[in-house]
Amino acid sequence: MTTAPPTSDSRTFGRALSDLRNGFKQPELWGHLAWQDIKQRYRRSVLGPLWITISMGVTALGLGLLYSQLFGASVGTFLPYITTGFIVWNFILGCLTEGTDTFISNEGLIKHLPAPLSVYALRTVWRQSIMFVHNMVIYFIVIAIFWSDVTTPDYTMTEDGMTHPGLNWDVLLAIPGFALLAVNAGWVVLLFGIASTRFRDIPQVVSSLINLLFFMTPIVWTTDILKDKFGSTADWRDWVAELNPLYHFIQIVRAPLIGNSVSWHHYAIVGGITVVGWALALVVMRNYRARVSYWV
């Protein structure tokens, strides 16, 4: 009488979810690794991680002054807009580009450290979160300088642009907005990280597309500019922004920080992407989690 071979439970959603749970239970590990990454990057530097903030501030100042003149926008309101856009974009950029390299760069640890795979994804997200907090120093400086401009009720960034309520207690909405952004960063790093270990062309593809995504996303330009230039005929051009998911992720954090009103549809779209994204990540974790150590 022959007996059936035991069934393996390595490719189950239970194991995938267990990996995530065990990863979240080890904040000391991925938190320490993330902080060490930043310290190592700026080793023997006098200013250390503050170089992140200085670089971001110089870039935002230069482009803010330039594009405000090109688009005929008020510097007092446009510079905070572009600064916060850059801060949020830098977080997204880091999660996309470094996310594709998450498991490849951790090859030695994956092969020798018995830790959940999600630890390395959390390491990347936490590292980018620390850098985001560093960059927020620039936000507070810019807001302090242009306080009277961004707190004026019904202010506009362009001459005939949309009116905004001005900075108020709604600024606290940026906290759950960033939390949603970080939650999505988790599935992005897991999905792209696992895929990149199998297909090494993915990091190059992402790097090639990232500049195009930057210029197609309202970061150094506003949707008001489309209406200023094209008037009522700009209706179809609005979809350039609305069909760009990165625009909605940026808005749920940027808008409260500079006193812009946040439409409910931004949260609806981000919520839908969150559900679909984590569903895809769990499927990939279920099927390929055990193979990552061989692929790297």
Side-chain angles (χ1 to χ4, degrees):
M1 181 177 178
T2 60
T3 59
T7 57
S8 173
D9 64 344
S10 62
R11 295 182 61 179
T12 63
F13 285 111
R15 292 292 292 272
L17 291 171
S18 177
D19 187 290
L20 289 174
R21 284 194 301 268
N22 292 334
F24 277 107
K25 289 179 180 178
Q26 301 184 43
E28 297 86 358
L29 177 59
W30 45 263
H32 174 74
L33 290 174
W35 185 245
Q36 286 299 117
D37 288 340
I38 295 177
K39 290 179 64 177
Q40 185 66 27
R41 180 178 301 182
Y42 296 95
R43 186 181 180 186
R44 297 182 181 176
S45 171
V46 176
L47 297 178
L50 285 177
W51 277 114
I52 304 171
T53 305
I54 295 171
S55 175
M56 175 65 60
V58 171
T59 303
L61 177 63
L63 292 181
L65 294 175
L66 172 63
Y67 280 95
S68 64
Q69 297 304 307
L70 292 176
F71 298 141
S74 169
V75 175
T77 54
F78 191 76
L79 194 56
Y81 173 88
I82 200 172
T83 300
T84 50
F86 261 106
I87 292 172
V88 182
W89 170 258
N90 197 65
F91 177 83
I92 295 173
L93 174 65
C95 291
L96 281 172
T97 56
E98 295 187 20
T100 58
D101 197 46
T102 291
F103 302 118
I104 298 172
S105 61
N106 284 290
E107 174 185 357
L109 287 176
I110 290 174
K111 290 182 176 180
H112 298 96
L113 181 67
L117 204 63
S118 56
V119 162
Y120 307 105
L122 291 167
R123 174 186 187 177
T124 300
V125 175
W126 186 244
R127 181 171 66 247
Q128 295 303 319
S129 298
I130 294 173
M131 295 173 69
F132 177 86
V133 173
H134 273 288
N135 290 335
M136 284 297 290
V137 173
I138 297 299
Y139 162 77
F140 289 112
I141 294 174
V142 169
I143 290 298
I145 295 173
F146 299 106
W147 177 260
S148 60
D149 296 280
V150 295
T151 55
T152 302
D154 298 326
Y155 77 82
T156 62
M157 281 183 286
T158 58
E159 185 176 349
D160 298 317
M162 181 186 300
T163 59
H164 302 288
L167 196 62
N168 52 47
W169 285 109
D170 286 346
V171 67
L172 297 177
L173 290 175
I175 297 174
F178 179 75
L180 264 176
L181 191 62
V183 168
N184 279 271
W187 71 258
V188 166
V189 173
L190 282 172
L191 184 61
F192 280 81
I194 293 175
S196 296
T197 60
R198 179 64 179 85
F199 304 102
R200 298 301 174 93
D201 293 325
I202 291 180
Q204 283 70 35
V205 171
V206 172
S207 297
S208 299
L209 292 176
I210 207 69
N211 288 331
L212 176 62
L213 290 173
F214 173 78
F215 287 108
M216 290 188 67
T217 306
I219 299 172
V220 297
W221 56 277
T222 72
T223 53
D224 289 342
I225 293 170
L226 298 176
K227 293 182 173 62
D228 289 345
K229 183 174 179 59
F230 301 105
S232 59
T233 60
D235 290 345
W236 66 270
R237 294 179 177 87
D238 289 339
W239 291 102
V240 173
E242 292 297 332
L243 293 177
N244 184 349
L246 296 180
Y247 168 58
H248 304 285
F249 282 102
I250 289 176
Q251 274 299 96
I252 63 173
V253 181
R254 175 176 60 189
L257 289 175
I258 58 174
N260 286 185
S261 55
V262 189
S263 174
W264 66 268
H265 82 281
H266 294 306
Y267 292 107
I269 292 173
V270 169
I273 294 174
T274 303
V275 173
V276 174
W278 271 108
L280 288 173
L282 285 173
V283 170
V284 171
M285 283 278 287
R286 171 189 179 273
N287 293 331
Y288 305 110
R289 180 183 56 82
R291 301 185 187 183
V292 170
S293 59
Y294 299 100
W295 286 341
V296 295

